[in-house]
């Protein structure tokens, strides 16, 4: 948790290492070395010469040396030269048949050289010798180590005295570590072993095995090292730092993680190039960022701060952040860790060969784990903490899993020292199980997975298996039309710009991916929508040149010729971001495209708009044209604000959402089918991950009631998102999210029934729909509140299906059964009769509706009276502010009743925390009695999974109600005890900061109260 929790105020700049830029050669930067007085940066000149630029330890440039071996052949590289502490440079020279080590003076001239004798692996190739390294102490004196082939390491004194082939060292050396050790790699079959070998004792002081074998796509396994960039002692000499393309890891002697400086954070990136070095407890990192090479300089304390510093928690970073260590991790044998019904879920802890065993002593770490399901379900799966056997030396151990039932599950694992409860490192694996009626068969999907979304064929396959029912393919207008201002013609179209096409494809072959996608879409009943353009410069140039309609006609005609199955078309994406006036867009882009598409293919259907949001005014303007005489449907992207649910956004209220859109469109346009061609929910926080499933299921219910033509979820598979957020239903190469199973299950249940109708219930903050069909089926859920209710029915039992497809039976006694309702929809099925829902205790009117709210403070953009507006879904909640320009020491609201009233229940609704804002966590509920005494009647602690909390207490006569938020200590700082978003489990994530503040932090959407049931 500390790795994702803020460690400084938001207005305090995080520590950033000092750095200086380097550019020693046109050929790039190759390496870095440290001497007692200088840092040497190695680069390559444009003719292949080696350039050494020397800086002092503070980054001031001292001099630049250029040297080049005598050669009659093109340049090659035998590795970076070695540098002794006094600045002497040793380089390998294998040009023109030589096998030499040359010693270079400061001016680049050769002062001496010596021969490297041939060995068992010598072939005469110039690249036989690879890597030269200086060590301070080999048998009592400095030495040079030179590698050859796959397993040979030669030893020499600085003067060239030959020490022979050195046994017992890693096969490929990476560099010296401290004074007497070297790091290197040894490959044994499909396993690489990173070792640090102590030359003085002969012992292996670091041993980290990792796999080199290819893995099946999206199948998890123990973490590896991608492109090593250096090994050094860890801060304060504890453990080791391993630099790679993923960043810098702090590990113990066996590879168990102790800290991590993530690539791309803190001004450091080692993805393309770079290196980590250390001398006397100081570190330098050669990094490539923003198009320039930089040398970062850090003390031991600063390096430790970077390794332990917090990182913004996002789904895209989970795989890198949540690791037990190199060569050890949880795994399954299934793509995306998914199991279809009938398959036995298995999760293992796996270690690579030799893990945890070394000359330095065997690891004594212990592994603990828990397995949990969706906590928002009525009957969540929670398995108590267990201890797993770590397969020291390599292998796998099976973890004990809970009952097998459809759903998404989270396995949390952590390593601890014996006798300790403090985690050293942690990992998370999510696995999923689909119901029998909705197999996903993810291992049989076609190729085409990508961070930015699946290719056309794969996308259609996923849409069919998840029940999405549609898939949108984007055509890049600029790639298809290199010269948009030219006179439109078929020959001016470059069909190799189609998705999935290659430069070598002829015009017919370029349609291969779209043709395959269209054929599968027809077979599976998936609507394939093709969108042309995306507000880009090329399409704008075509509009300005008057060629847009002509190019559109030839493109639609070409697609119709080669892929006649494609009939759904749409121009541009979210054009209200480029055209402020809907009428202008309709006349310049939409109508010309529709005319062109229908001429090119009379069977084409044009989905107009694709507006970001409902954009009521924009559509009102567009509808003033004759747009709807030419298009076949209206398309919108009605995202909710702050990642909230459809209900919390207020879109279910009469006159809102699609009602307001149809009103803005007018009668003619409103008669057209309406599409949602792009919306979704991000899933980067603990609550937002699970809420995605409920939000999808609930929205499908509302959309079916609205009779929407379709909903193309954004997006089915991938990892991309603004601000590194993740919108997908299947995380790229990783796991199946709750929204995926919810889509598959809910779309199936709705597809088997008629149009649902809203059912009013006497249960506050609940929603219910009766599904059409021969069998009585009622879906019911709440606005994020967990409470008991009573289902009444004539049936002997009820079948309950959650949004993952898990079914269970509830026996009915005397026509009733007590059930638990939550924000996650449940489908209740009765074989006979009807189903009605009632509260366990009767609720009368909310006695606080319209009551005056007196806050201790109010943020300037909020209104306290929304708290008693009668809904838990106001557009924006009340938020606390400051008092007299300072922190509000006791944020609270007092709500005055109209008259003294006996109450015994209060419900408190928080503002949403599933995006980027704070909400309620801990608070007290107090009532003021007629004698003006305040009496605490309830405490709410750790509210997180439910947005609305209901508390009950002994009946008490009250004239006012108070909700008050206390303080707690986080990292030694007193802060208000609220949920600072859900990204760090309620703790403040780095972007919110660690500071004492009340402004905007306390958030209350509603407070309700009721009299005792009669």
């Amino acid at each position: 948790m500390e790795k994702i929790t803020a460690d400084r105020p938001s207005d305090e700049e995080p520590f950033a290492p000092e750095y200086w830029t380097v550019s020693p050669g046109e050929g790039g930067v190759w390496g870095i070395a440290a001497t007692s007085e200088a840092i040497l940066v190695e680069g390559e000149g444009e003719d292949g010469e080696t350039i050494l630029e020397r800086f002092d330890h503070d980054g001031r440039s001292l001099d630049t040396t250029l040297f080049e071996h005598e050669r009659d052949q093109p340049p090659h590289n035998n590795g970076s030269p070695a540098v002794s502490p006094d600045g002497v440079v040793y380089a390998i020279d294998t040009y023109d048949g030589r096998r030499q080590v040359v010693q270079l003076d400061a001016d680049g001239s050769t002062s001496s050289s010596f021969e490297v004798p041939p060995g068992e692996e010598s072939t005469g190739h110039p690249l036989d010798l690879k890597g030269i390294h200086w060590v301070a102490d080999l048998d009592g004196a400095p030495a040079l180590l030179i590698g050859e082939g796959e397993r040979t390491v030669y030893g020499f004194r600085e003067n060239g005295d030959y020490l022979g082939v050195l046994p017992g060292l890693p096969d490929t050396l990476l560099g010296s570590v401290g004074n007497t050790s070297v790091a290197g790699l040894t490959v044994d079959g499909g396993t690489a072993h990173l070792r640090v070998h102590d030359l003085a004792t002969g012992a292996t002081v670091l041993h980290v095995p990792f796999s080199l074998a290819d893995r099946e796509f999206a199948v998890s396994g123990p973490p590896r090292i991608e492109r090593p960039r250096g090994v050094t002692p860890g801060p304060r000499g504890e453990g080791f730092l391993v630099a790679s393309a993923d960043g810098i890891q702090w590990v113990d002697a066996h590879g168990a993680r102790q800290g991590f400086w993530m690539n791309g954070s803190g001004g450091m990136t080692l993805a393309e190039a770079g290196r980590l070095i250390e001398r006397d407890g100081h570190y330098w990192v050669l990094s490539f960022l923003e198009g320039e090479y930089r040398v970062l300089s850090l003390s031991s304390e600063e390096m430790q701060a970077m390794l332990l510093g917090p990182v913004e928690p996002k789904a895209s970073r989970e795989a890198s952040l949540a690791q037990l260590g190199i060569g050890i991790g949880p795994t399954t044998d299934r793509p995306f860790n998914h199991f279809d019904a009938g398959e036995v879920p298995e999760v293992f802890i796996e270690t690579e060969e030799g893990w945890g065993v070394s000359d330095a002593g065997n690891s004594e770490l212990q592994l603990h784990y828990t397995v949990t399901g969706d906590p928002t379900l009525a009957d969540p799966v929670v398995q108590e903490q267990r201890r797993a056997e770590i397969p020291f030396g390599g292998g796998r151990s099976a973890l004990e899993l809970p009952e097998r039932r459809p759903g998404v599950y989270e396995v949390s694992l952590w390593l601890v020292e014996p006798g300790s409860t403090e985690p050293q490192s942690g990992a998370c694996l999510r696995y999923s199980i689909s119901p029998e009626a909705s197999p996903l068969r993810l291992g049989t999907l076609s190729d085409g997975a990508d961070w930015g979304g699946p290719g056309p064929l794969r996308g259609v396959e996923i849409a069919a298996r998840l029940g999405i029912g549609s898939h949108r393919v984007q055509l890049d207008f600029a790639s298809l039309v290199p010269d948009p201002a030219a006179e439109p013609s078929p020959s001016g179209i470059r069909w190799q710009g189609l998705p999935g096409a290659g430069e070598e494809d002829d015009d017919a072959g370029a349609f291969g991916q779209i043709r395959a996608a269209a054929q599968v879409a027809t077979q599976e009943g998936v609507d394939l929508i093709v969108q042309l353009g995306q507000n880009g410069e090329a399409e704008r140039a075509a509009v300005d040149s008057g060629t847009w309609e002509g190019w559109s006609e030839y493109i639609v005609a070409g697609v119709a010729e080669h892929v006649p199955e494609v009939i759904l078309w749409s121009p541009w994406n979210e054009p209200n971001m480029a055209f402020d006036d809907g009428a202008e867009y309709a006349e310049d882009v939409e109508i010309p495209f529709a005319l062109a598409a229908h001429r090119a293919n009379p069977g084409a259907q044009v989905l107009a708009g694709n507006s970001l949001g409902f954009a009521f005014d924009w559509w009102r303007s567009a509808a003033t044209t004759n747009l709807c005489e030419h298009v076949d449907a209206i398309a919108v992207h009605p995202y909710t604000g702050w990642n909230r649910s459809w209900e919390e956004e207020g879109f279910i209220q009469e006159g809102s959402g699609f009602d307001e859109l149809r009103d803005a469109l007018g009668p003619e346009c409103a008669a057209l089918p309406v599409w949602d061609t792009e919306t979704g929910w991000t899933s980067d926080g603990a609550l937002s991950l699970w809420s995605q499933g409920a939000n999808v299921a609930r929205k499908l219910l509302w959309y079916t009631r609205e009779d929407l033509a379709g909903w193309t979820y954004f997006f089915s598979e991938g990892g991309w998102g603004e601000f590194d957020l993740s919108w997908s239903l299947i995380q790229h190469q990783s796991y199946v999210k709750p929204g995926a199973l919810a889509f598959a299950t809910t779309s199936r249940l709705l597809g088997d029934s008629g149009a649902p109708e809203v059912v009013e219930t006497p249960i506050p903050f609940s929603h219910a729909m009766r599904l059409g069909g021969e069998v009585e089926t009622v879906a019911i859920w709440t606005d994020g509140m967990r409470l008991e209710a009573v289902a009444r029915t004539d049936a002997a039992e009820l079948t309950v299906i959650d949004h993952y497809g898990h079914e269970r039976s509830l026996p009915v006694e005397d026509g009733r059964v007590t059930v638990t309702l939550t924000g996650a929809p449940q489908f209740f099925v009765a074989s006979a009769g009807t189903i009605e829902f009632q509260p366990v205790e009767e609720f009368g009117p909310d006695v606080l509706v319209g009551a005056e709210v007196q806050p201790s403070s109010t943020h300037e953009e909020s209104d306290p009276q929304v708290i008693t507006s009668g809904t838990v879904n106001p557009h924006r909640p009340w938020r606390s502010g400051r008092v007299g320009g300072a922190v509000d020491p006791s944020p609270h609201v007092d709500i005055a009743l109209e008259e003294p009233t006996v109450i015994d229940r209060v419900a408190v609704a928080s503002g949403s925390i599933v995006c980027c804002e704070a909400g309620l966590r801990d608070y007290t509920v107090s009532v003021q009695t007629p004698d003006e005494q305040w009496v605490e009647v309830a405490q709410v602690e750790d509210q997180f999974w439910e947005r609305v909390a209901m508390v009950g207490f002994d009946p008490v006569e009250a004239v006012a109600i108070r909700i008050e938020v206390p303080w707690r200590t986080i990292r030694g700082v007193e802060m208000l005890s609220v949920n600072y978003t859900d990204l760090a489990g309620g703790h403040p994530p780095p972007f919110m900061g660690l500071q004492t503040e009340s402004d905007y932090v306390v958030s209350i959407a509603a407070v309700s109260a009721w009299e005792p049931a009669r």
Side-chain angles (χ1 to χ4, degrees), residues 81 152 179 305 363 394 401 453 526 532 690 735 737 740 757 787 799 920 965 980:
T152 302
N179 289 326
S363 174
L401 304 182
V526 172
L532 179 63
W690 299 112
Y735 57 90
K737 298 181 184 179
E757 62 178 22
L787 82 165
T799 299
L920 293 174
V965 174
Y980 295 87

Side-chain angles (χ1 to χ4, degrees), residues 36 102 106 150 226 303 368 461 479 655 671 734 767 865 900 955 995 998:
S36 57
V102 297
E150 296 182 354
E226 298 291 341
M303 175 60 80
H368 297 263
E461 292 171 343
S479 295
S734 193
H767 307 274
Q865 288 306 127
Q995 66 244 333
S998 56

Side-chain angles (χ1 to χ4, degrees), residues 681-922:
W681 280 275
T682 59
S683 58
D684 298 84
L687 179 57
S688 58
L689 171 73
W690 299 112
S691 296
Q692 187 198 59
N695 286 337
V696 163
R698 287 150 61 165
K699 191 173 183 179
L700 281 170
L701 283 157
W702 291 115
Y703 272 19
T704 305
R705 179 177 177 271
E706 288 280 357
D707 195 26
L708 238 62
W711 173 21
T712 308
Y713 189 89
F714 182 78
F715 52 125
S716 60
E717 179 193 30
W720 179 88
E722 302 94 336
F723 311 110
D724 285 335
L725 296 171
S726 177
W727 295 89
S728 62
L729 295 173
I730 300 175
Q731 185 68 16
H732 181 62
Q733 286 190 264
S734 193
Y735 57 90
V736 174
K737 298 181 184 179
L741 291 189
F743 222 123
T745 292
T746 308
S747 61
R748 173 179 57 82
L749 292 173
L750 292 172
D752 293 339
S753 66
E757 62 178 22
V758 172
V759 177
E760 298 295 334
T761 77
I763 303 169
F765 319 132
S766 68
H767 307 274
M769 289 188 190
R770 177 168 282 111
L771 278 57
E774 298 180 359
V775 179
E776 170 81 343
T777 303
V778 177
I780 187 168
W781 66 97
T782 70
D783 285 308
M785 177 175 65
R786 179 179 293 270
L787 82 165
E788 300 295 300
V790 173
R792 292 190 174 275
T793 179
D794 296 330
E797 68 176 16
L798 292 178
T799 299
V800 186
I801 308 171
D802 66 25
H803 61 281
Y804 297 122
H806 171 57
E807 297 187 17
R808 56 194 174 97
S809 297
L810 297 178
V812 176
E813 295 184 8
D814 299 326
R816 56 178 285 160
V817 58
T818 301
V819 299
T820 300
L821 304 182
T822 72
Q826 298 174 82
F827 298 82
F828 287 80
V829 182
S831 58
T834 60
I835 306 171
E836 294 182 353
F837 291 92
Q838 298 177 345
V840 173
E841 292 184 277
E842 177 186 354
F843 285 90
D846 177 359
V847 299
L848 295 185
V849 172
E852 181 181 354
V853 180
Q854 185 63 46
S856 60
S857 60
T858 294
H859 183 71
E860 59 185 9
E861 297 177 0
S862 66
D863 177 7
Q865 288 306 127
V866 301
I867 292 175
T868 56
S869 61
T871 176
V872 295
N873 298 317
H875 177 63
R876 299 294 286 141
W878 165 81
R879 291 189 178 274
S880 62
R882 293 168 67 83
V883 177
V887 170
D888 184 346
S890 180
H892 64 273
V893 294
D894 291 345
I895 306 169
L897 282 84
E898 189 172 308
E899 60 183 10
T901 306
V902 176
I903 60 174
D904 68 345
R905 285 162 292 174
V906 169
V908 182
S910 170
S912 177
I913 64 172
V914 291
C915 167
C916 43
E917 297 183 316
L920 293 174
R921 180 185 182 97
D922 302 328

Side-chain angles (χ1 to χ4, degrees), residues 334-420:
R334 301 306 172 94
F336 301 98
N337 301 320
H338 179 75
F339 301 87
D340 282 326
E343 298 174 343
V344 179
E346 293 181 302
V347 178
F348 305 93
I349 181 65
E350 183 173 328
T351 59
E352 302 295 356
E353 181 182 354
W355 194 91
V357 178
S358 76
D359 298 341
N362 296 343
S363 174
E364 296 181 352
L365 289 173
Q366 297 175 353
L367 180 66
H368 297 263
Y369 70 100
T370 61
V371 184
T372 55
D374 186 341
T376 70
L377 294 178
D379 58 335
V381 173
V382 179
Q383 180 172 282
E384 295 299 319
Q385 177 180 324
R386 285 162 167 70
R387 179 178 167 186
E389 292 299 321
I390 300 175
F392 293 114
R396 51 169 46 181
S397 298
L399 304 184
E400 185 178 348
L401 304 182
E403 61 175 308
R404 180 173 59 184
R405 66 183 240 194
V408 177
Y409 299 89
E410 198 168 78
V411 183
S412 299
L413 312 94
W414 59 99
L415 290 170
V416 299
E417 294 283 354
S420 172

